[in-house]
Amino acid sequence: MAEAVSDQQKWLTAAAEHLLPAMVLPRGSEMLRAAGAIGLTLGLAALMQMLLGANDARFSLIAPLAATTFLLISVPNSPLTQPWSVVIGNGASAAVAVTVLQFGLPVPLTIALAVGGATLAMMLLRAMHPPGAAVAMAAVLSAPATMKLGYQFALTPVMLDSTILVIAAIAVNRLTGRVYPFRLPHDATAAPRRADRPSPEVLERILGDLRLSANIGVEDLRRVLDEIEKREKPPVPHRKPRFSGAVGAFRPRSRR
């Protein structure tokens, strides 16, 4: 009986651990950087929109893009936040939502089809971006305004907003010490890939097999492998040179 209670307690403890935070607490400087940078990015985007057309529905920020901004600043290395994923993912989701609205179905069914179709479109286009699902749902919930714009809704404001946010995020991330976008052009001066290190194609296939492609990019995985090797590499001991033979053999001969 006691063993059964102990096993149950262990199970409950293990289950409770899965409900606790899975992330490491960010450094205080990173939290302040992210909070300030998110506000700055949205502010810059709003200013650009005002310059384009303050009273035009085509040039207005939509709520789901606040989530886009959060990801652009908080996890700029993620494959989900790279420019293609942001602009194409949000735009495709909006286009799918406009298409579903044409059928005039009940709202719950329209939301389900719009969000499900948006998810499928983002996967097919390799442009997975979580706020895209929110864009599709927001388009359905604001159906009158969405239908008034039609497919132009996908271009302006959605893709235009997304492009402005990406441009602002590039500037703000650079100003605050982060690199974005992460997939930089090939550096010709970089050291060649080691023969014992898997190629990018192999790493990409491994991430796909483990269903981790959306969580970490190939570049980040290579950085992790390099850092592990650097930190675990044992230090090379400093050895004094050893000489063989008589000591006198290494002394210069005296001139007579």
Side-chain angles (χ1 to χ4, degrees):
M1 184 65 180
E3 293 180 358
V5 173
S6 177
D7 291 341
Q8 187 177 10
Q9 289 178 345
K10 291 180 180 179
W11 184 88
L12 291 174
T13 301
E17 289 179 352
H18 287 288
L19 301 177
L20 296 175
M23 293 182 59
V24 177
L25 182 67
R27 297 178 179 176
S29 58
E30 174 59 20
M31 289 190 281
L32 292 175
R33 184 204 73 85
I38 288 171
L40 181 58
T41 301
L42 275 175
L44 288 174
L47 179 60
M48 293 182 197
Q49 294 286 32
M50 288 179 61
L51 295 175
L52 290 172
N55 299 319
D56 194 330
R58 296 172 300 169
F59 303 104
S60 59
L61 287 172
I62 59 176
L65 297 187
T68 290
T69 308
F70 176 87
L71 294 175
L72 284 171
I73 300 301
S74 299
V75 284
N77 289 3
S78 172
L80 303 175
T81 61
Q82 300 311 299
W84 174 268
S85 297
V86 174
V87 178
I88 302 302
N90 283 336
S93 298
V96 169
V98 173
T99 301
V100 175
L101 280 171
Q102 308 296 325
F103 300 117
L105 301 172
V107 173
L109 182 57
T110 303
I111 290 176
L113 291 176
V115 174
T119 303
L120 178 60
M122 288 189 285
M123 288 183 171
L124 289 173
L125 293 169
R126 297 194 300 170
M128 292 177 63
H129 184 60
V135 168
M137 185 171 177
V140 174
L141 294 178
S142 58
T146 303
M147 293 299 291
K148 184 178 180 180
L149 292 174
Y151 285 103
Q152 187 178 359
F153 173 75
L155 297 175
T156 55
V158 175
M159 294 185 75
L160 177 63
D161 283 354
S162 301
T163 302
I164 289 175
L165 285 174
V166 166
I167 294 172
I170 291 173
V172 173
N173 273 314
R174 296 296 176 93
L175 287 173
T176 57
R178 298 297 295 269
V179 176
Y180 178 80
F182 187 66
R183 300 186 72 170
L184 301 177
H186 175 68
D187 184 3
T189 63
R193 183 181 67 84
R194 288 175 33 182
D196 60 343
R197 181 62 54 81
S199 66
E201 293 77 15
V202 172
L203 294 177
E204 186 173 1
R205 189 162 57 250
I206 291 173
L207 290 175
D209 292 341
L210 297 176
R211 299 180 182 179
L212 294 174
S213 299
N215 299 341
I216 183 172
V218 173
E219 293 83 359
D220 265 336
L221 180 56
R222 294 181 66 181
R223 288 176 62 200
V224 170
L225 293 175
D226 290 340
E227 192 64 24
I228 290 174
E229 183 177 352
K230 186 188 303 182
R231 296 191 182 190
E232 291 190 349
K233 188 176 182 180
V236 179
H238 179 69
R239 296 181 179 180
K240 296 182 179 180
R242 296 181 179 180
F243 302 99
S244 59
V247 176
F250 295 93
R251 295 177 180 173
R253 295 181 180 179
S254 59
R255 295 182 180 180
R256 295 181 178 178

